Amino acid sequence: MIRINCYLPIHNYESAAGLISELQTNAVIQNIYLPEETATKAGGKARSFLYEGFGSTSWVKALKETLASADYAVLLTKSTTLSLGQFSIERMVSVAEAINAAKVYSDYYEIKEGQLSAHPVIDYQEGSLRDDFNFGPLVLYRTNALRKAIDKMTMDFDSAGLYYLRLKMSQQGAFVRIPEFLYTIDETDLRKSGQKLFDYVDPKNRSVQIEMEQAVTEHLKDVGAWLAPESGMLEFDNSAFGQKASVVIPVRNREKTIADAIESVLAQKTSFAFNLIIVDNHSTDKTSEIIRSYAEKDKRIVHIIPGQNDLGIGGCWNLAVHDARCGMFAVQLDSDDIYKDENTLQKIVEVFEQEKCAMVVGTYQLVNFKLEEIPPGIIDHREWTPDNGKNNALRINGLGAPRAFYTPVLRDVKIPNVSYGEDYAVGLAISRDYSIGRIYENLYLCRRWDDNSDAALDIVKVNAHNTYKDRIRTIELKARQRKNA
């Protein structure tokens, strides 16, 4: 008979009494490992286990010592009220047995403010390397794979132990999602999607981020996808361009903000000639009229309306970059953002000229519609370092802003014709073969307001975005493995 150990970091027995009772009566459950006080109250199959340092490598290694007689381990990864669906543990085990999966997880229900809602998760890919991948809080491990993965953990982490374990486990076998709602939890994080986006760059989490980087770097070396720093410098062809730089603004229906964006470009003070290319993607409000009014007064403004109707933000960028009027460096500005001051463009071009790199990424400040700072404030992506940034980039969800490109390289690589993740995709592709310069001084004000495309997404849209970025990472992982072969 299959034998299963359960690990529940639940310190309040009353909140988990129903779950514990159900596990006690399940014949396949061998042991239930709980914090000491909870285990004492539970009795029966309950065993005392130390949850201090939960999520550290030392905790994970202590878990291994309890696995000897178990075929599977069920782990609750956070302290939450949870109720199991009908035969949910048995369903996980049957799938693991059928295909010899190393790890099994499932969709789940959640209760938010008293309302029950479905929370589907997404399939794991080889490129699902971000440390915030959501497996749901209940997962099943095959213990023979789990023991092998733990044996391969050579570094000690206070916070990245479970992430490190996941990466090592992925080398042992398949991670399988069951697209069925097998349990229900109480969800206490009620923030909107746009408020969660920047958790990973919060300065308070810097020490955690360093551990996560070390874990993913070792994994990339294990699977042959790690890249050494680029040392070569590009030779720029000034003679091929009429302008040193072009600011590119793709826009659709931003009548409230487009004038601010245009004026922040026209206010730039530079030692070189530049223009502004605005790709107006068939706006239906007053955006086109506002752009025309500025273009009539300033010949530096190039107003392009696409001939096709199937362009996303990436497609609009491609249109601008392949236009003969595009400068040698193409510099990003979103239609609802502005440059911090009149020196932004000059600073970006100076980094290109000093470092001879293919791309430059700056630092930005999150602000509200009134340009007042909002948390977490400055986003400088300190996780990017010259020696390891291109590897760590596979773990995080973005590279920063403003982004700027050496136009011939961008014309060659091209940007995916989508409106989410296109900047991340092209940044990864460029970093595979070229160096990327960084500016850690704030250059850019990024407005977060209700009209942002990612301000309040439902779970279906969030999952679609995450699936796309994971696919981009998978493609990039395979490309890097091939480069190293």
Side-chain angles (χ1 to χ4, degrees):
M1 184 175 69
I2 296 295
R3 295 164 300 180
I4 302 173
N5 284 353
C6 294
Y7 301 83
L8 310 177
I10 297 173
H11 295 271
N12 184 337
Y13 172 75
E14 286 70 26
S15 69
L19 172 62
I20 293 170
S21 176
E22 185 174 352
L23 294 173
Q24 295 270 28
T25 59
N26 191 323
V28 300
I29 303 301
Q30 178 179 247
N31 298 297
I32 308 168
Y33 288 95
L34 296 156
E36 182 177 5
E37 185 176 348
T38 311
T40 300
K41 291 181 179 180
K45 297 178 181 179
R47 304 287 181 267
S48 178
F49 192 66
L50 184 63
Y51 282 89
E52 184 179 343
F54 179 63
S56 66
T57 48
S58 60
W59 184 89
V60 171
K61 290 174 182 178
L63 179 148
K64 182 196 168 193
E65 300 306 312
T66 69
L67 295 175
S69 60
D71 302 296
Y72 291 97
V74 171
L75 174 63
L76 182 63
T77 58
K78 69 176 183 179
S79 182
T80 183
T81 300
L82 182 146
S83 59
L84 295 171
Q86 185 184 61
F87 299 120
S88 56
I89 299 295
E90 289 83 351
R91 178 61 172 152
M92 285 184 165
V93 171
S94 69
V95 170
E97 287 283 289
I99 56 179
N100 197 35
K103 181 175 183 175
V104 175
Y105 62 105
S106 75
D107 298 345
Y108 58 97
Y109 292 112
E110 59 187 4
I111 299 173
K112 284 187 175 182
E113 298 182 315
Q115 298 296 313
L116 181 69
S117 60
H119 193 123
V121 291
I122 63 176
D123 292 330
Y124 194 83
Q125 306 176 45
E126 280 188 76
S128 298
L129 298 174
R130 54 195 169 86
D131 53 73
D132 63 350
F133 187 93
N134 182 24
F135 294 97
L138 192 71
V139 295
L140 176 88
Y141 295 109
R142 181 182 289 274
T143 55
N144 59 1
L146 187 56
R147 286 192 291 266
K148 290 177 183 177
I150 294 172
D151 285 341
K152 292 180 179 295
M153 295 170 66
T154 61
M155 293 186 284
D156 292 323
F157 297 128
D158 292 328
S159 302
L162 289 177
Y163 176 60
Y164 192 30
L165 174 64
R166 183 238 290 188
L167 296 175
K168 295 298 185 184
M169 282 289 293
S170 70
Q171 299 170 24
Q172 299 301 317
F175 288 8
V176 178
R177 167 189 167 234
I178 303 175
E180 302 164 15
F181 298 91
L182 296 186
Y183 58 94
T184 302
I185 68 164
D186 282 346
E187 180 53 72
T188 56
D189 188 349
L190 304 179
R191 295 175 300 160
K192 296 179 180 179
S193 61
Q195 295 173 299
K196 300 177 184 178
L197 278 175
F198 303 100
D199 288 352
Y200 72 103
V201 289
D202 191 323
K204 297 191 299 292
N205 297 328
R206 184 68 188 122
S207 61
V208 176
Q209 292 298 309
I210 291 172
E211 288 191 357
M212 300 291 188
E213 176 179 358
Q214 291 171 340
V216 78
T217 300
E218 183 174 287
H219 173 72
L220 293 174
K221 290 179 178 179
D222 289 345
V223 300
W226 181 83
L227 295 179
E230 284 291 335
S231 56
M233 302 176 73
L234 290 172
E235 292 294 331
F236 297 140
D237 184 6
N238 290 274
S239 63
F241 298 91
Q243 309 282 337
K244 176 64 71 74
S246 291
V247 175
V248 176
I249 303 179
V251 62
R252 177 177 168 81
N253 294 345
R254 281 292 185 263
E255 63 181 9
K256 294 180 181 179
T257 59
I258 189 62
D260 290 346
I262 292 171
E263 288 179 7
S264 81
V265 176
L266 300 182
Q268 294 299 298
K269 296 179 180 179
T270 65
S271 60
F272 49 82
F274 70 91
N275 62 11
L276 167 60
I277 302 178
I278 306 175
V279 183
D280 177 10
N281 200 9
H282 305 286
S283 294
T284 57
D285 62 2
K286 295 180 180 179
T287 297
S288 300
E289 179 183 333
I290 294 169
I291 297 169
R292 280 194 295 269
S293 70
Y294 277 95
E296 289 170 357
K297 301 172 188 174
D298 197 314
K299 300 304 179 185
R300 292 177 295 176
I301 298 175
V302 179
H303 184 189
I304 300 175
I305 298 177
Q308 61 264 61
N309 294 299
D310 63 345
L311 296 185
I313 292 173
C316 291
W317 256 92
N318 287 329
L319 199 62
V321 169
H322 287 266
D323 190 284
R325 293 164 289 186
C326 186
M328 184 166 68
F329 303 116
V331 185
Q332 168 248 346
L333 179 62
D334 287 350
S335 58
D336 45 8
D337 300 335
I338 62 174
Y339 291 142
K340 180 177 179 291
D341 56 36
E342 68 274 11
N343 300 311
T344 293
L345 195 55
Q346 180 73 37
K347 290 175 180 177
I348 290 171
V349 170
E350 285 176 355
V351 172
F352 273 116
E353 293 178 333
Q354 292 165 7
E355 300 187 19
K356 306 295 185 184
C357 49
M359 181 177 175
V360 172
V361 183
T363 293
Y364 62 96
Q365 181 181 18
L366 289 178
V367 298
N368 60 21
F369 193 78
K370 297 178 181 179
L371 304 183
E372 300 164 332
E373 181 174 290
I374 58 176
I378 301 294
I379 308 295
D380 57 12
H381 284 275
R382 291 281 174 181
E383 71 278 356
W384 182 283
T385 57
D387 60 333
N388 200 46
K390 61 178 59 186
N391 296 300
N392 201 25
L394 284 168
R395 180 185 63 86
I396 59 176
N397 262 332
L399 300 184
R403 299 169 292 277
F405 309 88
Y406 178 46
T407 297
V409 169
L410 192 56
R411 285 174 175 172
D412 180 51
V413 173
K414 301 179 181 60
I415 302 179
N417 182 27
V418 295
S419 293
Y420 175 81
E422 75 290 337
D423 51 345
Y424 181 61
V426 77
L428 286 180
I430 288 174
S431 72
R432 189 191 320 150
D433 297 308
Y434 301 97
S435 63
I436 295 180
R438 302 300 304 219
I439 299 175
Y440 295 110
E441 172 190 353
N442 181 26
L443 302 176
Y444 191 95
L445 302 183
C446 178
R447 279 187 172 125
R448 306 297 299 175
W449 55 305
D450 289 343
D451 280 5
N452 281 133
S453 59
D454 54 7
L457 302 179
D458 61 32
I459 187 59
V460 174
K461 196 66 175 178
V462 169
N463 281 348
H465 284 180
N466 284 332
T467 297
Y468 178 72
K469 279 196 172 179
D470 284 353
R471 176 55 58 190
I472 291 299
R473 292 183 184 96
T474 299
I475 293 169
E476 186 60 31
L477 182 81
K478 294 292 188 184
R480 295 179 180 201
Q481 289 172 327
R482 186 178 182 189
K483 179 183 174 73
N484 289 336

